[in-house]
Amino acid sequence: MSLRLELHNEPLPMSAPFRIAGHVFEAMPATVVTLRDGDLIGRGEAAGVYYNDDHPDTMIATLEALRPRIEAGIDRASLRDVLPPGGARNALDCALWELEAQRAGAPVWQLAGLDGIHPLLTTFTVGADTPETMADKAAAYTQARALKLKLTGEAVLDAARVRAVRARCPDAWLGVDANQGYDATTLPALLPALVDARVSLLEQPCRRGHEGDLDGIARPLPFAADESILDLAELEARHHRFDVINIKLDKCGGLTEGLMMARRARELGKQVMVGNMCGTSLAAAPAFVLGQFCDIVDLDGPTFLVQDRSPSVHYDDGYIRCGDEVWGPRVAA
């Protein structure tokens, strides 16, 4: 085996600023890993985990330090022992999956144990803004059957946001994401409004490390862990405080661990969700494979970018579709 490792960062500007609790994003820079073995290639893209100071510049440095080990030949199992969860491991793990698929002449989904793939109903996300603006943006998603609203931790304003969107989109599945914006004193004031608006999911209500804030709070709808559960070890430690586990490949360190988490979450009686940290179709494609194992899918990331890759994932009638030509085995000429 003679591997050649190529690394570069891409700025990935967003078409408009995107606001969540505590942050406004204008771009989602990413690290791209390419592994070359003769005329075979494997690619992976990762944005990292911003709230863990996991950024593309540090991801490049981490992977450069491992170049001799990587180019000598590394497999996905040993990678979990060499790198911690995070963006660097995700990008390399996904590159190894694609390279493995090309060597086998089989699609990644088949290597992951699936008999086939199907389009996935995905949420389309509305960034935090005024209630009127959020309602307008939600209604502009004319194909969407499922919506996710970003909240900011201001209970009165967040309730108004939810009511406004529900009034404009009466039939859509609706979830909200607080991005750590609430605590034990503020969350109870929000919950009645969510119930009244028929919200089906509350994602990450509390700060990471403060999951105890949820103890004793009535739970009239499912609570999902995002920032609170990054990887398999944290799933074991914190699953009891959540109903749904949101798995993101940038958090857990790649499709290999993501699949392990999905299976373990099922064993623990949890629902499974897949999301990503924005990113192009190269980031969405591995998450699409994971999404085949999930109950809730949030893979609209490429729609927020100024430019996506080609070939790309496609969205129609509220679904995301991803062909093998996007990521996986080589397409015959």
Side-chain angles (χ1 to χ4, degrees), residues 193-207:
L194 301 186
V195 173
D196 289 345
R198 294 179 285 114
V199 172
S200 297
L201 185 74
L202 170 58
E203 188 178 346
Q204 197 60 42
C206 62
R207 288 166 53 200

Side-chain angles (χ1 to χ4, degrees), residues 11-19 24-29 304-306:
L12 300 186
M14 304 177 80
S15 56
F18 183 76
R19 183 185 175 204
V24 177
F25 297 97
E26 297 185 353
M28 188 59 71
F304 290 95
L305 301 178
V306 170

Side-chain angles (χ1 to χ4, degrees), residues 270-319:
K270 306 299 177 181
Q271 286 194 300
V272 186
M273 179 177 178
V274 61
N276 62 13
M277 308 292 281
C278 201
T280 72
S281 288
L282 183 56
F288 179 83
V289 175
L290 177 60
Q292 304 295 314
F293 298 86
C294 294
D295 305 288
I296 302 169
V297 173
D298 178 24
L299 294 180
D300 60 340
T303 68
F304 290 95
L305 301 178
V306 170
Q307 183 174 354
D308 194 9
R309 302 182 191 279
S310 180
S312 66
V313 300
H314 295 280
Y315 299 90
D316 64 82
D317 198 28
Y319 287 80

Side-chain angles (χ1 to χ4, degrees), residues 16 43 67 72 94 160 163 180 192 195 201 220 224 226 245 281 300:
R43 300 161 300 148
R67 178 179 290 275
C94 290
R163 285 195 297 269
Q180 310 184 73
V195 173
L201 185 74
D226 183 1
I245 310 302
S281 288
D300 60 340

Side-chain angles (χ1 to χ4, degrees), residues 79-161:
L79 178 59
R80 294 183 68 244
D81 297 323
V82 172
L83 282 176
R89 194 172 87 186
N90 175 31
L92 182 53
D93 179 80
C94 290
L96 288 167
W97 271 100
E98 184 175 48
L99 185 61
E100 184 178 337
Q102 293 197 4
R103 287 170 173 161
V108 171
W109 54 261
Q110 191 173 88
L111 301 183
L114 291 164
D115 294 328
I117 56 171
H118 58 273
L120 300 171
L121 183 70
T122 182
T123 62
F124 289 84
T125 306
V126 179
D129 211 314
T130 67
E132 297 77 12
T133 298
M134 291 181 70
D136 288 343
K137 289 181 177 179
Y141 281 125
T142 55
Q143 66 159 303
R145 301 186 183 192
L147 297 165
K148 189 172 87 167
L149 312 182
K150 291 291 189 177
L151 307 182
T152 57
E154 304 157 280
V156 174
L157 179 57
D158 284 340
R161 288 163 166 156

Side-chain angles (χ1 to χ4, degrees), residues 59-75:
M59 288 155 53
I60 287 276
T62 296
L63 292 166
E64 277 291 357
L66 286 173
R67 178 179 290 275
R69 175 74 182 271
I70 295 168
E71 294 187 335
I74 192 170
D75 59 29

